[in-house]
Amino acid sequence: MLKHRSGYMPPAYLVIAAHLDISIFDDQTLVTTRLELTKNPDAGTGANEMRLNGRDLELKRLSIDNIEIAKDDWPLDDAGIHLTNLPESCVVESLSVCHPETNTALEGLYLSGGMYCTQCEPEGFRRIGFYPDRPDVMTIFTVRIEADIAYPQLLSNGNLVETGAASEGRHFAVWHDPHPKPSYLFACVVGDLECAEDNFITASGRDVALHIYVEKGNVGLTGHAMDSLKRSMKWDEDRFGLEYDLDLFQIVAVSHFNMGAMENKGLNIFNSKFVLADTNTATDTDLHRVESIVAHEYFHNWTGNRVTCRDWFQLTLKEGLTVYRDQCFSADTHDEGVQRADDVSLLRAAQFPEDRSPTAHPIRPESYREINNFYTATVYEKGAEVIRMMAAFLGRDGFRKGMDLYFKRHDGSAVTCDDFVAALADSNDIDLSGFARWYEQAGTPHLSVKRVAGGKATITLDFEQTLPETAAKTPRNAVPIPVRLGFLDAAGHPVATSLTPDGVSADEHVVLMQTATHRQSFHAASGGGDVALTPSLLRNFSAPVVLADDLSTAERLHLMAHDTDRFNRWDAAQTLAADAIVAAATGGNSLDADAAALSGAYRNILGEADLLDAFKASMFALPGVSVLESRLKPADPVALYHARMRLQAALGDGLADIIATYLKDDARHALQASDGGRALLNALLMLGVAASSAQAEDIAAAQVLDANMTLSQGAVMALNNSTSTARDVGLSAFHDRWLDNPLVMEKWFQMESMSVVGGTVARLKTLMQHPSFDPNNPNKLRAVLGAFMSGNPVHFYAEDGSGFAFIADCLIDIDSRNPQISARMVLPLTRMSAYDDRRKAQMMAALRQIDNAKPSNDLAEIVEKTLA
Ligand code: ARG
Ligand code: ZN
């Protein structure tokens, strides 16, 4: 059944208070929900009815105002309890049974590695107890949890108010959360866990206890998450004036989790992968990821929890905004330029392909069958880009004023994206109505910027935007596109220009394009003369668009060498590399010349003393196959992959002498000492091995055993696509070393699956029989199957379609246990628009095979959209 955004109806009743009683036994869990209801004054007249959602629950008792309703009269249907003819106010109580012990979907209450935990967002609460499970019903929860004393921790949201013994070896705890919240932010954890404790004093002096709960033996791996949490709390105070609002903040790490983490009020639940990390078990990239996810979930306390979504169509209200906030935090904590390059890489690799696919949707979708399918790169990452454009337009202070007004108006309520944009607009007395179009239109706008022939000291640019047709069939009106730009002279220095002949000169301008076409002239300040000016367009990626400009290769090399905007230096390298790879993949003979030009540019960059190593390393990251595909029609991922490898080898050859210098003991040890240095070292090692340098291979082989995980994994990755025995030796050494660490074994699975040499379908089947593999653990599925699809194009997109058929079989099996995961993992099979007919037909056949197996609602929505 399709739900439409326009179909929103306010709830007829509000919940004044909710009392939950959860009693866990080995073979069942009893849940009582006692709800104080009162008619919603804003719901209009009529309907004295109320839906209590419930899924796979066994109802045992139902009463209204303490009067039992006879079983025969229970108003039960597939979706739960449908109460009618209710009085203005009443108390409804239900007792039901659920089964966490057999819950493999990991929604609602489930068992993970011996502990009970919950995941309620978006609609998991209805699998725990009968409740109006919608985000606009916010209330104050009091929760009593009871379980065997074998589970010392009985955790929920808010404050602990009472504990005590219960009958026969059982005990209980009562929690009260003073902040009204929707059911999706409810959480409960029952287990035998170890706790890391710390505290944080807020700006106004509240002493907040910080608890991170982990499985026994792991408390030593929580330091980085704890430190990240404290820095996030401080940052939100400094940047947005937002303080934490309870005396306790808890994080629990669980091994079985469908996503990254969850912002439940005062009790965040995390995929253990994003909590447990130190430099021996996690790479620097992993540590950054832990930090940004801890920050993201913490930031949700205001953007998500204090102010939440009215309905799930508004998901980007909290997710786009919170991603934007965590990106800003990371940029402030590390390097802005590197952070922007990382964020844009992700957007291009994951969101742009989504926008071209059968599951394309606007950041605020218009309809859905299963809301779990809309936790997407579009809602999250493109949503963040839309906030970023408005924030840039308002400026730092203007955006802060907007945020302040948003909280002033809406604290404690459930609102819409329009409410958010209105707060930004009203607080700045500015019209943002154009930006509203970014919320309603799917598709990545194409922006063409071309130079118009003209005078010497004046450059005129023609801007044109086109909106592609997408599967979502949303309108295609011109959107506001802020284009940040500047000009460089032949020496690479910024040239000030003005927008009118005698206007104010500046090194940089923002052209806000509001219509489909736009022409703008720029007048060079001091004499201009005959100097050739190179435009640097869309600086810092000022809008989430595909840019087509008229720059020559020489001009791009110029930007790569000199632009003051580091994002554009990085992006010039991306474009040059993509041009070279695409030309090579289509049989052009130009790789040598392109590689020589790029090597020269890289050589200069390596020599730049005041450029950060982290930034230099990011310059070496070649665009991935999913990004390259958009440049070629029909796209051939296998050919692109091989061409990309050839460029890597050619760069390794072209830079052989300088790589050799960096790999010498002293220079190498110097690089090993910092995270930026390690990233650069790994990038150079990768190029060296790609070029079959014996020195690089030997160093990589030795570095596999380094105590530092960044160095160790970097070395295995460098060897992973080489046919030398060093690959096998390295991988098995890594395997033997980490066999008893399930999280690090995920890296081993991943590298095995991604190897063009070893990662065959036959090998994947063996991996899935490995004792460390667990078919019910999403991380393990992602490590083997996810990595295969995204990181091993040669075998996944194999000529004979064997990769697709294998994945289809796996997905049918996974779907019977965990529909959220199967529906997510099927997505690569739907990204076929650019491929040739043969490959498309093979992918369609795999999808038909899934469709014939009667998939879950989650999986069916994706598959049927694609087959339609
Ligand atoms: N709100 C969480 C986050 O972004 C994501 C949880 C989504 N979970 C799900 N099963 N769809 O931090
Ligand atoms: Zn989030």
Side-chain angles (χ1 to χ4, degrees):
M1 231 238 313
L2 213 54
K3 291 198 175 60
H4 293 275
R5 181 166 73 87
S6 55
Y8 175 77
M9 297 270 279
Y13 280 77
L14 301 177
V15 182
I16 303 295
H19 299 263
L20 306 184
D21 194 313
I22 299 178
S23 193
I24 294 181
F25 298 91
D26 287 347
D27 57 348
Q28 62 172 4
T29 292
L30 303 179
V31 176
T32 304
T33 63
R34 184 178 168 84
L35 312 175
E36 295 171 31
L37 303 181
T38 191
K39 194 123 195 243
N40 178 6
D42 298 334
T45 50
N48 287 358
E49 57 177 1
M50 177 72 162
R51 158 70 66 193
L52 303 186
N53 304 95
R55 260 189 86 170
D56 302 331
L57 300 177
E58 190 192 336
L59 185 60
K60 292 286 192 191
R61 275 182 38 208
L62 179 65
S63 71
I64 298 178
D65 288 330
N66 293 319
I67 299 170
E68 287 290 320
I69 310 219
K71 183 168 183 173
D72 288 345
D73 298 332
W74 287 347
L76 268 181
D77 59 28
D78 283 352
I81 298 173
H82 189 204
L83 300 166
T84 49
N85 300 317
L86 288 174
E88 290 285 304
S89 296
C90 58
V91 176
V92 176
E93 189 171 310
S94 75
L95 170 66
S96 58
V97 174
C98 66
H99 289 282
E101 69 283 356
T102 55
N103 178 351
T104 55
L106 316 185
E107 286 181 84
L109 180 64
Y110 63 94
L111 202 48
S112 168
M115 79 173 97
Y116 291 85
C117 63
T118 54
Q119 171 57 38
C120 292
E121 184 181 3
E123 298 182 335
F125 194 93
R126 62 190 63 184
R127 296 166 181 270
I128 300 176
F130 287 96
Y131 195 84
D133 190 14
R134 44 186 289 170
D136 56 351
V137 173
M138 298 175 83
T139 195
I140 296 181
F141 280 75
T142 307
V143 181
R144 182 183 184 279
I145 310 168
E146 189 192 299
D148 195 287
I149 50 169
Y151 301 103
Q153 279 76 38
L154 307 172
L155 311 178
S156 191
N157 321 82
N159 304 311
L160 180 62
V161 292
E162 196 188 340
T163 58
S167 60
E168 293 162 47
R170 293 170 65 77
H171 66 151
F172 75 92
V174 178
W175 292 79
H176 178 79
D177 182 357
H179 297 282
K181 66 169 176 290
S183 51
Y184 85 85
L185 291 172
F186 164 81
C188 126
V189 172
V190 169
D192 183 7
L193 306 168
E194 211 168 38
C195 181
E197 296 189 23
D198 205 330
N199 74 314
F200 179 83
I201 314 253
T202 70
S204 64
R206 184 195 284 267
D207 188 349
V208 183
L210 309 176
H211 294 173
I212 300 184
Y213 289 94
V214 295
E215 278 176 28
K216 293 228 162 116
N218 283 336
V219 83
L221 292 169
T222 57
H224 180 67
M226 186 67 89
D227 179 58
S228 302
L229 174 60
K230 292 198 281 184
R231 284 184 288 106
S232 308
M233 295 176 86
K234 179 77 168 73
W235 186 88
D236 219 11
E237 293 182 348
D238 294 346
R239 178 73 176 262
F240 288 108
L242 298 172
E243 270 187 58
Y244 189 60
D245 54 6
L246 286 165
D247 298 331
L248 175 63
F249 187 82
Q250 312 175 90
I251 288 177
V252 180
V254 306
S255 56
H256 292 63
F257 202 73
N258 281 344
M259 311 268 289
M262 179 62 212
E263 71 266 22
N264 317 298
K265 184 76 187 190
L267 178 55
N268 286 188
I269 296 183
F270 271 60
N271 187 325
S272 54
K273 183 184 164 82
F274 299 121
V275 175
L276 305 175
D278 65 10
T279 56
N280 300 130
T281 58
T283 63
D284 296 326
T285 309
D286 296 332
L287 292 165
H288 279 187
R289 193 102 190 92
V290 166
E291 177 188 83
S292 76
I293 295 180
V294 167
H296 179 97
E297 305 312 331
Y298 174 72
F299 296 157
H300 267 315
N301 190 54
W302 280 93
T303 51
N305 301 2
R306 292 287 291 245
V307 182
T308 193
C309 303
R310 186 192 73 174
D311 56 72
W312 290 119
F313 293 100
Q314 318 296 328
L315 184 57
T316 199
L317 171 77
K318 73 177 179 79
E319 295 304 346
L321 179 54
T322 305
V323 170
Y324 173 68
R325 276 153 51 68
D326 82 55
Q327 290 175 349
C328 291
F329 168 74
S330 295
D332 284 358
T333 308
H334 305 283
D335 178 66
E336 219 183 333
V338 176
Q339 181 65 31
R340 192 64 187 134
D342 285 353
D343 292 340
V344 174
S345 294
L346 174 64
L347 187 79
R348 286 181 177 154
Q351 199 279 322
F352 284 14
E354 181 162 72
D355 249 344
R356 299 191 296 266
S357 83
T359 62
H361 52 278
I363 63 169
R364 183 186 56 200
E366 294 296 346
S367 64
Y368 63 76
R369 221 170 119 171
E370 172 53 62
I371 185 58
N372 270 310
N373 288 334
F374 288 81
Y375 288 73
T376 59
T378 298
V379 167
Y380 277 65
E381 271 71 34
K382 185 177 178 183
E385 293 297 321
V386 172
I387 303 278
R388 179 180 293 270
M389 284 189 287
M390 294 189 290
F393 184 57
L394 299 175
R396 201 175 163 116
D397 294 342
F399 185 65
R400 171 65 192 269
K401 270 200 282 179
M403 290 286 280
D404 290 350
L405 182 61
Y406 175 61
F407 293 118
K408 191 166 167 225
R409 282 184 178 169
H410 303 299
D411 188 14
S413 54
V415 304
T416 63
C417 299
D418 290 336
D419 293 324
F420 178 75
V421 177
L424 295 186
D426 296 351
S427 56
N428 288 278
D429 201 12
I430 223 167
D431 179 14
L432 290 174
S433 53
F435 284 95
R437 255 168 263 146
W438 280 99
Y439 282 87
E440 58 204 35
Q441 300 185 169
T444 310
H446 285 242
L447 174 66
S448 138
V449 183
K450 298 278 152 72
R451 283 167 284 194
V452 180
K456 35 185 182 171
T458 300
I459 287 198
T460 300
L461 300 179
D462 265 349
F463 297 76
E464 184 174 0
Q465 57 170 298
T466 47
L467 285 294
E469 171 105 77
T470 70
K473 297 275 186 294
T474 47
R476 292 156 66 201
N477 299 309
V479 287
I481 299 181
V483 187
R484 196 160 141 187
L485 55 82
F487 300 91
L488 304 191
D489 68 15
H493 298 127
V495 176
T497 59
S498 60
L499 301 178
T500 53
D502 30 42
V504 199
S505 280
D507 286 352
E508 194 165 85
H509 298 280
V510 180
V511 173
L512 181 65
M513 210 194 161
Q514 305 258 30
T515 46
T517 59
H518 183 80
R519 174 169 286 189
Q520 177 71 55
S521 294
F522 302 85
H523 309 273
S526 52
D530 284 321
V531 293
L533 300 189
T534 304
S536 165
L537 304 168
L538 206 68
R539 281 182 163 172
N540 206 37
F541 205 62
S542 57
V545 300
V546 174
L547 174 66
D549 57 35
D550 59 3
L551 270 64
S552 66
T553 297
E555 285 177 311
R556 279 190 223 292
L557 287 163
H558 194 55
L559 293 182
M560 182 176 165
H562 302 294
D563 204 334
T564 50
D565 184 73
R566 277 183 304 131
F567 174 81
N568 266 9
R569 290 189 73 176
W570 173 84
D571 208 27
Q574 292 288 298
T575 306
L576 288 165
D579 288 345
I581 294 167
V582 169
T586 48
N589 55 356
S590 54
L591 189 55
D592 287 351
D594 289 341
L598 262 176
S599 299
Y602 279 127
R603 187 176 290 273
N604 292 335
I605 279 168
L606 285 171
E608 262 185 71
D610 35 345
L611 208 52
L612 285 177
D613 283 344
F615 183 73
K616 291 178 184 175
S618 78
M619 294 287 281
F620 279 101
L622 302 181
V625 170
S626 75
V627 172
L628 296 166
E629 280 173 357
S630 66
R631 305 273 306 259
L632 198 58
K633 239 182 156 133
D636 182 346
V638 176
L640 286 168
Y641 174 84
H642 287 303
R644 186 179 181 275
M645 294 302 282
R646 271 188 282 144
L647 177 61
Q648 222 168 54
L651 293 175
D653 278 330
L655 295 167
D657 56 323
I658 192 161
I659 292 175
T661 316
Y662 275 98
L663 293 185
K664 286 209 182 103
D665 285 353
D666 287 355
R668 196 174 79 247
H669 293 146
L671 288 176
Q672 289 176 348
S674 71
D675 56 356
R678 288 186 289 270
L680 183 56
L681 174 58
N682 283 339
L684 296 176
L685 214 44
M686 178 79 79
L687 296 182
V689 174
S692 307
S693 140
Q695 179 207 25
E697 265 184 28
D698 290 349
I699 287 173
Q703 196 178 295
V704 168
L705 299 170
D706 199 284
N708 178 283
M709 181 54 77
T710 307
L711 296 173
S712 172
Q713 189 177 5
V716 186
M717 290 291 281
L719 295 170
N720 203 23
N721 295 317
S722 120
T723 46
S724 84
T725 53
R727 184 192 89 90
D728 299 326
V729 174
L731 270 169
S732 52
F734 193 94
H735 169 275
D736 297 351
R737 184 169 166 202
W738 296 109
L739 193 53
D740 57 6
N741 184 321
L743 280 180
V744 182
M745 280 303 281
E746 288 166 15
K747 296 177 181 299
W748 177 77
F749 281 120
Q750 214 172 15
M751 292 189 287
E752 286 276 347
S753 288
M754 289 190 334
S755 171
V756 66
V757 184
T760 60
V761 166
R763 178 67 181 145
L764 263 68
K765 289 181 177 161
T766 332
L767 293 176
M768 291 168 79
Q769 301 303 319
H770 189 283
S772 299
F773 185 79
D774 170 1
N776 287 321
N777 185 318
N779 288 0
K780 302 294 184 288
L781 295 170
R782 283 186 281 255
V784 175
L785 303 174
F788 176 70
M789 291 189 276
S790 65
N792 194 345
V794 172
H795 293 291
F796 178 51
Y797 297 99
E799 289 282 312
D800 59 1
S802 55
F804 307 141
F806 167 65
I807 291 294
D809 287 339
C810 294
L811 291 177
I812 291 168
D813 175 52
I814 294 167
D815 193 47
S816 64
R817 301 186 303 269
N818 190 330
Q820 261 187 55
I821 295 298
S822 56
R824 183 151 296 248
M825 301 232 306
V826 78
L827 292 175
L829 278 178
T830 70
R831 308 301 198 234
M832 63 181 78
S833 60
Y835 301 153
D836 63 20
D837 290 343
R838 182 185 52 84
R839 207 167 249 135
K840 265 189 206 155
Q842 290 168 342
M843 296 172 86
M844 293 295 261
L847 290 168
R848 245 175 255 114
Q849 187 194 333
I850 295 172
D851 199 37
N852 291 336
K854 298 229 181 322
S856 64
N857 189 49
D858 300 55
L859 184 53
E861 176 172 31
I862 309 280
V863 169
E864 286 166 24
K865 255 187 193 170
T866 311
L867 293 175

